[in-house]
Amino acid sequence: MQTRLGVRGQGIGAALMSRVREVARDEMGLEQLHLAARGGVGLEEFYGRLGWKEIGRWPGALRLASDDDRDEVLMMLSPL
C-alpha cells in the first residue's frame, strides 16, 4: 500500500497505519504485525516514527530496474 505522491505529507499514510493497528489489535486480537518495505526511499523512517522496528534486511532483494537494486527491509510492530 502507498499513498499518491501528490498527497504525501498530509498524514494519510499515518492514519491508515493507525487504523491497521487498531483492527489488528481490537478486532483480530493480534499482538504484533510484520511488514516488508522497499529500502532507500525513506520508508524505514516513516514506519519508525509510527513505532515499527527494523528486524532484518535482505540486501539487494528487490530489482526495480537493471541498475537499481534495493534492500527489502523487514519490520515489526509490537506490542499493538
Side-chain angles (χ1 to χ4, degrees):
M1 174 183 72
Q2 67 185 47
T3 56
R4 293 178 65 182
L5 292 174
V7 298
R8 289 194 181 159
Q10 298 179 24
I12 296 168
L16 289 169
M17 293 308 297
S18 177
R19 183 66 181 134
V20 165
R21 184 180 199 163
E22 290 171 6
V23 169
R25 181 189 60 226
D26 299 340
E27 296 179 27
M28 300 175 73
L30 300 178
E31 297 179 3
Q32 61 181 237
L33 292 172
H34 294 216
L35 66 78
R38 178 177 26 169
V41 293
L43 294 174
E44 302 100 307
E45 294 81 13
F46 169 75
Y47 288 115
R49 288 191 303 271
L50 301 177
W52 292 78
K53 305 291 182 214
E54 183 175 329
I55 58 170
R57 184 176 285 256
W58 291 335
L62 303 172
R63 175 153 289 186
L64 304 180
S66 62
D67 61 344
D68 189 5
D69 293 338
R70 305 283 177 94
D71 292 353
E72 185 165 22
V73 182
L74 309 175
M75 304 188 83
M76 179 176 73
L77 182 63
S78 180
L80 298 180

